[in-house]
Amino acid sequence: MSAFQPNLHIVSMDKLLIQGGVPLSGEIRISGAKNAALPILCAGLLTESTLTLTNVPHLHDVTTMLKLLGQMGVQVSLDEKNGLSLGGGNIHNPLAPYEMVKTMRASILVLGPLLARCGEARVSLPGGCAIGSRPVDLHIKGLQAMGAEIDIEHGYIVAHAKRLKGARIFMDLVSVTGTENLMMAAALADGVTVIENAAREPEVVDLAVCLNAMGARVEGAGGDIITIHGVEKLHGASHHVIPDRIETGTYLVAAAACGGRVKVKDTRHDTLDAVLEKLREAGAHITLGEDWVEIERSGPLKAVNIRTAPHPAFPTDMQAQFMALNCIADGSATIIETIFENRFMHVQELIRLGASIETQGNTAVVRGVPRLDGAIVMATDLRASASLVIAGLVAQGETTVERIYHIDRGYECIEEKLSQLGARIKRVH
Ligand code: EPZ
């Protein structure tokens, strides 16, 4: 089975069984960033030539995106080094059907590229998800500013544009995929596009690097004003996807929570300053290397206050993991979630493990308890699942995490990597 074929077990209700209470030690390798790979796969739609990608993570969301692109006409092939090649020469079906979009919101990222390349697109509205309503109004507004005709028909975004025109676009909210969609659309537009209040996430920068390698002219990515000079065509390129900063942060938090000494390799630390600062504040000792981060925690764990915000502030995708850490830290801490309106789904599950947490709107107060006790808990979304795994690793006794298909969407081989660190964890079908 090729690495990108959907793993059969994902569709069944797999569980993770964890015997908690052991410190972690050893080394693991970090995979490519899911949230960089997904928009970059869509960039393959922008060229008739071949886009070759390395360090693409083997995740369910990547498999879903490849299936989506394949049914549009993109030729997907794997070469021996596990590189992935996308041939965009024959896009005959600019459609993202509901059945696929409902399983992965990131499918919306095909909208901009399809409009830029084919002049038309039919993309199902993603619908809500566990962590919030997550509308795509900013994507649509930006494309309309570039001259696209867009209607909503029977739950689908139906878009047409002979040729998109450069425009000045102010994003009311900072939107990661909104910025990425508009950046890709602008790459082939006629004229200059300026995106103001753009997302500054490293994954936006990685997409810009890939687009520029394909002949685009994107300037300012990483800042809040991005300027794109549209060009006639984009050519093929090779691109190495950046390491996953959220996967990195997740394993660092697991090590801080369990105690011990862990080295995460093939990663970058310059995209994680806010997270590293909070880990130091919690009492962990961090050593930084060229492409690795080592964490050691042997002393007491201190509760840390968290407030999520767009990059470079503390990432919302690390909020649930730090909540697990705070559950067993000394003292109380406040966690404020400013990005999504319902990203506390892990709270009730952590309470089942013995945590002491109170929520009021987008604020949670966590009072550290001396220990957690293993229980059966249920994953509800990707990062909430990671939070439950971390809590299970520190809880006394056995924890069963159910519905871990959520976790397989964003963490490659999580039980193998944690087992390498000495965790007592296994997947049961
Ligand atoms: C991206 O989602 C990530 N997904 C999310 O990671 C991440 O949590 C999020 O950015 C914030 O960092 C991918 O990159 C594939 P947004 P995205 O548009 O782009 C509102 C994970 O765990 N908004 O930055 O969908 C929205 O409701 C996932 O890997 C609008 O109102 O998030 C939210 O409150 C979860 N209208 C806020 O903006 C819009 O048109 C930020 O959303 C778009 C967004």
Side-chain angles (χ1 to χ4, degrees), residues 34-36 38-39 61 104-109 129 131-141 171 173-180 199 201 203 244-246 309-311 315-317 338-341 343 381-383 410-411:
K34 167 177 85 81
N35 291 349
L38 292 175
D61 275 8
M104 184 182 63
R105 301 181 40 75
S107 309
I108 189 70
L109 283 165
C129 81
I131 61 179
S133 60
R134 299 180 74 180
V136 289
D137 54 309
L138 299 178
H139 300 239
I140 291 171
K141 220 170 96 181
M171 309 288 283
L173 280 170
V174 173
S175 167
V176 175
T177 51
T179 302
E180 292 164 346
E201 272 68 5
E203 293 75 29
D244 195 315
R245 63 193 167 98
I246 305 300
H311 192 78
T316 174
D317 290 349
T338 72
I339 305 291
F340 291 111
E341 67 268 24
R343 204 169 196 177
D381 62 270
L382 170 53
R383 306 305 173 184
Y411 291 93

Side-chain angles (χ1 to χ4, degrees), residues 33 35-37 39-40 43 109 174-181 183-184 195 198-214 216-228 238-243 245 268 270-271 311-312:
N35 291 349
I40 286 169
L109 283 165
V174 173
S175 167
V176 175
T177 51
T179 302
E180 292 164 346
N181 232 337
M183 203 158 83
M184 289 190 278
I195 303 174
R200 300 174 53 189
E201 272 68 5
E203 293 75 29
V204 173
V205 176
D206 203 35
L207 173 63
V209 168
C210 180
L211 289 172
N212 286 342
M214 296 167 71
R217 292 179 53 202
V218 181
E219 295 154 5
D224 58 3
I225 297 183
I226 301 177
T227 303
I228 304 106
S238 294
H239 181 76
H240 188 83
V241 175
I242 55 166
R245 63 193 167 98
R268 284 177 39 178
D270 60 332
T271 57
H311 192 78

Side-chain angles (χ1 to χ4, degrees), residues 13 117 148 274 342:
M13 288 296 183
R117 173 74 189 283
N342 186 30

Side-chain angles (χ1 to χ4, degrees), residues 1-10 58 63 78 82:
M1 161 165 60
S2 107
F4 289 99
Q5 294 308 315
N7 304 326
L8 294 182
H9 68 251
I10 272 178
H58 303 161
T63 305
L78 271 174
N82 253 359

Side-chain angles (χ1 to χ4, degrees), residues 2 35 45 85 148 168 171 180 201 240 261 272 275 277 282 296 300 309 312 314 320 342 345 379 404 406 417:
S2 107
N35 291 349
L45 291 165
S85 288
R168 190 169 196 82
M171 309 288 283
E180 292 164 346
E201 272 68 5
H240 188 83
R261 180 176 185 159
L272 269 177
V275 170
E277 264 318 293
E296 185 177 4
F314 189 92
N342 186 30
M345 309 280 277
I404 55 160
H406 291 290
K417 294 191 180 184

